[in-house]
Amino acid sequence: MSTNTPAISRDEATRGFLFALSAYLMWGVLPFYMKAVAHIPTPEVIAHRITWSIPIAALLLWWLGRTSDIRQALRTPRTLAMGTLTAALITINWGVYVWAIGNDRALETALGYYINPLFSIFLGAVVLGERLTRAQMLAIALAVVAVALLTWETGGLPWVSIVLALSWGFYALFKKTLPIGPAQGFFLEVLILGLPALGYIFYLQSTGVGHFGTTGMTDVWLMLGCGVVTAVPLILFANGAKLLTMSTIGIMQYIAPTMIFVIAIFIFKEPFSSECAVAFALIWVALAIYTWSMFSERAKNG
């Protein structure tokens, strides 16, 4: 029996890696999709992301036989309250991201997702009382310097980057308090958001300003596809994360912002000043230090 365990473990790790890699690659090319819907107002795009995610997530839970978890969650006030909070945070994250891509600020979204892991360890120290190593403190300090440099260069805070990092960091933090699995948690979130999202879509359609069916079939397919590009990578990531170590996920999380960075500069042709280059270089050094400290701690703890 023991001779089969490593093979099974490697097989699970491989499946987890492929799940997570697929999710990050999808997130990496998501700016192309958001550019395609840039002519549609951001709130309408978000409403359709929510609405068409519901049947996909529901189908997955039915297939997994985990619908009872949702029934239990809907009967638990604390779970509903936490689900509402995480739903609000992910809506903010989606809204800022969609708006930024549509307004030629993809570089700022890449910066925000680069900053996110550094903000998460800062959040862990402040909220959870986790102890920061000197390397982690240096990494956070470099990120602060990078943000300060961009603030000086643009004459204002890079609010897109900051809101994306903060909303996703707090979302991940509070998501841990949900007493249900990640797939169930995602379904609970879109279910909570579903009624206002549907109400908003019906309002837009009834007033003649909606894009679903009134501006051609291309927009219909784009709106329907919002559910796929929203739910599928999140579900793939949730399943991959369960089969991988945190250090592996920690390295892989740089895939999507790196792809967005390359797309923003070389395909979307967004301006990239020397100050911006220095700020990104500082972030990359900070992430290298953070990654090194993560592996060092893991080696030290065996």
Side-chain angles (χ1 to χ4, degrees):
M1 291 289 290
S2 60
T3 56
N4 293 330
T5 304
I8 294 171
S9 178
R10 283 195 297 271
D11 180 63
E12 289 183 343
T14 300
R15 286 193 296 113
F17 176 81
L18 292 174
F19 283 144
L21 179 63
S22 298
Y24 282 120
L25 291 176
M26 288 180 185
W27 282 325
V29 298
L30 188 57
F32 290 121
Y33 200 94
M34 293 301 113
K35 278 290 187 184
V37 298
H39 63 287
I40 301 172
T42 297
E44 187 175 359
V45 174
I46 300 306
H48 282 280
R49 289 190 77 172
I50 293 165
T51 300
W52 303 114
S53 291
I54 294 173
I56 296 173
L59 187 63
L60 174 69
L61 291 185
W62 173 80
W63 181 65
L64 294 173
R66 304 306 300 265
T67 54
S68 60
D69 295 347
I70 296 300
R71 289 196 294 271
Q72 179 61 35
L74 292 173
R75 291 195 294 264
T76 309
R78 183 180 180 277
T79 302
L80 273 176
M82 292 307 301
T84 302
L85 177 59
T86 56
L89 288 167
I90 198 61
T91 302
I92 292 169
N93 188 273
W94 287 345
V96 172
Y97 178 82
V98 171
W99 178 90
I101 298 296
N103 285 272
D104 302 323
R105 297 172 77 164
L107 266 177
E108 290 184 52
T109 70
L111 180 65
Y113 290 121
Y114 274 134
I115 292 173
N116 178 66
L118 302 174
F119 175 69
S120 292
I121 59 174
F122 171 77
L123 203 59
V126 173
V127 178
L128 303 177
E130 296 175 355
R131 185 177 179 181
L132 291 177
T133 65
R134 289 182 180 179
Q136 289 172 333
M137 286 189 284
L138 176 59
I140 292 171
L142 287 173
V144 171
V145 172
V147 171
L149 178 61
L150 287 174
T151 301
W152 172 78
E153 191 256 340
T154 60
L157 280 171
W159 69 268
V160 168
S161 306
I162 292 172
V163 172
L164 286 177
L166 266 61
S167 59
W168 188 262
F170 279 111
Y171 173 75
L173 177 69
F174 292 124
K175 185 88 169 178
K176 293 179 180 179
T177 66
L178 280 175
I180 52 178
Q184 297 94 311
F186 173 69
F187 179 70
L188 178 64
E189 288 160 0
V190 291
L191 197 61
I192 290 169
L193 295 167
L195 191 59
L198 273 172
Y200 183 63
I201 291 171
F202 282 127
Y203 165 76
L204 292 176
Q205 296 302 121
S206 65
T207 54
V209 296
H211 289 74
F212 192 79
T214 58
T215 55
M217 282 305 298
T218 299
D219 282 346
V220 171
W221 288 114
L222 284 172
M223 294 294 94
L224 289 172
C226 282
V228 176
V229 301
T230 299
V232 171
L234 276 170
I235 291 168
L236 284 171
F237 173 77
N239 284 277
K242 289 191 298 184
L243 300 172
L244 294 173
T245 63
M246 286 303 295
S247 57
T248 302
I249 289 293
I251 293 296
M252 294 183 75
Q253 67 184 323
Y254 306 143
I255 294 172
T258 300
M259 291 176 65
I260 295 170
F261 176 83
V262 172
I263 290 168
I265 294 177
F266 296 105
I267 299 177
F268 294 165
K269 305 295 183 182
E270 292 188 10
F272 190 58
S273 65
S274 56
E275 291 87 355
C276 191
V278 172
F280 269 92
L282 287 170
I283 291 293
W284 290 330
V285 171
L287 290 172
I289 293 171
Y290 157 73
T291 303
W292 170 80
S293 70
M294 181 174 59
F295 278 107
S296 297
E297 283 295 309
R298 187 184 177 199
K300 188 186 300 181
N301 296 329

